[in-house]
Amino acid sequence: MAACRNVTRMVHCGQIVSPWGLQIKRAASLSHAWCRSIASDFASRTPTANTVELLGKPYISDSYSNITKKILSKVGKNLHNRKHHPLWLIKERVKDHFYKQYIGRFGTPLFSVYDDLPPVVTVEQNFDSLLIPQDHPSRKKGDNYYLNQTHMLRAHTSAHQWDLMHSGLDAFLVVGDVYRRDQIDGTHYPVFHQMEGVRLFSNHELFNNVSGGESFCLFEQGHRTPHKQEMHTMEAAKLLEYSLKLALTKLVAHLFGDGLEIRWVDCYFPFTHPSFEMEINFQGEWMEVLGCGVMEQQLVNSAGAENKIGWAFGLGLERLAMILYGIPDIRLFWSEDARFLKQFHVPHVNQKIQFKPFSKYPPVINDISFWLPSDKYSENDFYDLVRTIGGDIVEKVELIDEYTHPETKRVSHCYQITYRHLERTLTQKEVSNIHHTIEQSVVQELGVEGRF
Ligand code: FA5
Ligand code: MG
């Protein structure tokens, strides 16, 4: 117990924050104009007008298709498999931990690792297989990148859970690039990398797992580690929760060592119950690094593992690497600048690295205001458009003012766009050109009325 206190300080804050709930508030479908432009953008690089070829396979475009060229250009980069890239390093560190910590019956690693499953999945894999209802807001076009009505770029590595369980696996990790239309700031990027972990147990295995290992103070602040005797009477779900939090606490303790401040936040996923997110205190702010939970039995059963129970987690590799190596901005992971990449050329994956930022170049900040259209408007459409035109020189987009006209009831939004190049100083002229293109496009594509 005492040793544990030095490793991490756990706070179960009990507050209900649902990422899926947040999406409910933000989600709205794509405007038709934007959709059309993406489709034509798309068509220009395809063999026939309405087909796109991705990773060697053709997909017929339809009204769902909304993948931009910028996003397409990231598919196949596989940063997590590029030796010495920080995402590769962190993947290897986590793998190393799981290999050493969990040994199977024959002395071989318990968890098998899949890090090259293609990112194109069916809508069924991404949603239906995980019990996500047809009308769930996380399916919205405004939040995802669809190839067409049946195929999409995976929005999470959970898209592979069902298939791997169905193939008979009880313990596995999946690492891959995932794609989401999301807000723009230093910790969100439309393409990022997740690691999924799934572990299934028989009742007997579960009891041995939680009562056999060393005790770890998961439940400070009014909770405590249960005694072995008590475990006999605990419900399987409680034991699973304990086993899950134990595994994840050990992982972050292995990665970060002493002095890390973490907390568990209750949340909601359709495929786990109970569900939690882990947050880590990063430079004075709480940063969410993973989602996890006890797997819904209906899901486990449907994958053919009726005699098993289990837990799963999905962690954001960029977020963990940012904390571990002190990387201040998520865009840096895509940098080809040797001043960035060279810092991760270390002989051993567990070697300590503290990223030394090269000088920070000055930002250029411009605002954009417009009246929203009377019909649907989605902030994610706007963010996607800004990212498509501005690329990685856009550091942050913030809604700084929202105004409703007292008589007409029309709503106006004012966003502040921070432009900053990671490798050089931007000129006001080049930013003005980009900003002007955004102004024009936002009117054409999203049907807003400019207040420029
Ligand atoms: C999920 O994606 C769930 N599939 C996780 C899960 C797996 C739950 C298994 C239960 C069982 P969430 O949307 O919270 O959950 O994303 C997981 C992590 O991905 C986040 O904690 C964060 O670290 C990372 N992440 C999410 N969005 C972004 C983004 N736009 N940019 C960078 N990292 C992100
Ligand atoms: Mg989340």
Side-chain angles (χ1 to χ4, degrees), residues 19-20 180 269 277 288 290-291:
W20 300 73
R180 284 190 203 175
F269 297 105
E277 283 173 342
E288 180 204 318
L290 64 87

Side-chain angles (χ1 to χ4, degrees), residues 27 41 62 86 93 106 124 136 165 179 187 190 206 238 245 248 282 308 323 351 374 398 401 422:
D41 190 22
D62 59 25
R93 281 186 75 144
F106 307 106
E124 211 175 329
H136 195 274
M165 286 193 292
Y179 298 78
T187 60
L206 174 64
K238 243 351 216 181
K245 288 182 171 172
L248 292 171
F282 178 51
K308 299 280 167 86
I323 300 170
Q351 185 163 320
S374 49
E398 240 181 319
D401 191 36
L422 291 166

Side-chain angles (χ1 to χ4, degrees), residues 156 158 180 182 189 192 194 196 288-290 314 316 319:
H156 52 177
S158 303
R180 284 190 203 175
D182 215 333
Y189 201 79
F192 59 102
Q194 285 189 335
E196 190 86 4
E288 180 204 318
V289 294
L290 64 87
R319 303 258 179 102

Side-chain angles (χ1 to χ4, degrees), residues 62-295:
D62 59 25
S63 63
Y64 262 67
S65 314
N66 66 352
I67 305 183
T68 58
K69 279 185 189 170
K70 267 234 153 71
I71 293 298
L72 276 182
S73 73
K74 311 277 187 196
V75 178
K77 293 270 186 218
N78 293 325
L79 298 181
H80 59 290
N81 290 336
R82 181 166 160 184
K83 226 171 166 196
H84 296 296
H85 190 277
L87 293 172
W88 174 83
L89 275 180
I90 192 125
K91 176 191 79 172
E92 290 299 315
R93 281 186 75 144
V94 179
K95 264 169 65 179
D96 191 52
H97 169 74
F98 273 88
Y99 281 166
K100 291 196 175 120
Q101 188 74 39
Y102 305 95
I103 311 286
R105 271 193 296 153
F106 307 106
T108 49
L110 189 69
F111 282 82
S112 23
V113 179
Y114 296 84
D115 61 10
D116 59 359
L117 299 175
V120 178
V121 295
T122 60
V123 169
E124 211 175 329
Q125 285 174 301
N126 199 82
F127 297 118
D128 302 46
S129 76
L130 293 159
L131 313 173
I132 298 172
Q134 283 301 328
D135 59 351
H136 195 274
S138 66
R139 292 182 182 246
K140 289 253 155 115
K141 284 203 293 185
D143 284 8
N144 298 286
Y145 289 107
Y146 283 94
L147 278 152
N148 54 33
Q149 236 168 64
T150 53
H151 287 81
M152 62 188 294
L153 292 172
R154 65 186 161 212
H156 52 177
T157 42
S158 303
H160 301 289
Q161 273 187 18
W162 191 94
D163 291 320
L164 294 173
M165 286 193 292
H166 193 242
S167 73
L169 291 170
D170 280 351
F172 55 85
L173 302 174
V174 181
V175 190
D177 38 327
V178 303
Y179 298 78
R180 284 190 203 175
R181 304 177 86 222
D182 215 333
Q183 66 204 80
I184 300 180
D185 60 29
T187 60
H188 290 82
Y189 201 79
V191 188
F192 59 102
H193 296 74
Q194 285 189 335
M195 179 187 276
E196 190 86 4
V198 169
R199 184 155 186 205
L200 299 181
F201 305 84
S202 65
N203 271 313
H204 176 71
E205 284 165 341
L206 174 64
F207 183 79
N208 282 347
N209 168 259
V210 291
S211 64
E214 76 273 40
S215 73
F216 218 82
C217 66
L218 288 166
F219 299 113
E220 271 188 25
Q221 295 227 337
H223 298 274
R224 61 186 171 75
T225 309
H227 298 301
K228 199 166 175 173
Q229 219 86 22
E230 278 175 86
M231 284 183 178
H232 277 293
T233 58
M234 278 170 76
E235 286 169 20
K238 243 351 216 181
L239 287 180
L240 278 171
E241 180 186 328
Y242 180 76
S243 159
L244 169 65
K245 288 182 171 172
L246 182 69
L248 292 171
T249 308
K250 281 183 179 172
L251 171 65
V252 293
H254 166 77
L255 290 177
F256 300 103
D258 286 1
L260 186 74
E261 224 186 322
I262 76 168
R263 67 181 185 186
W264 293 105
V265 177
D266 292 339
C267 73
Y268 169 77
F269 297 105
F271 38 98
T272 50
H273 184 77
S275 307
F276 310 96
E277 283 173 342
M278 182 198 278
E279 295 183 347
I280 295 183
N281 192 337
F282 178 51
Q283 299 173 347
E285 303 225 354
W286 289 107
M287 172 146 80
E288 180 204 318
V289 294
L290 64 87
C292 65
V294 172
M295 294 181 91

Side-chain angles (χ1 to χ4, degrees), residues 70 74 184-185 189 329 331-332 334 361-366 386-397 416-438:
K70 267 234 153 71
K74 311 277 187 196
I184 300 180
D185 60 29
Y189 201 79
D329 191 304
R331 289 172 298 163
L332 279 163
W334 296 91
Y361 296 91
V364 178
I365 297 173
N366 284 340
V386 174
R387 187 60 94 196
T388 301
I389 295 167
D392 279 359
I393 69 162
V394 178
E395 179 172 276
K396 196 156 108 184
V397 182
Q416 183 162 81
I417 307 181
T418 306
Y419 299 89
R420 191 199 309 261
H421 204 292
L422 291 166
E423 290 143 19
R424 63 180 176 81
T425 301
L426 288 169
T427 64
Q428 178 59 56
K429 188 160 178 270
E430 66 183 311
V431 170
S432 295
N433 283 341
I434 293 166
H435 197 74
H436 185 57
T437 310
I438 292 175

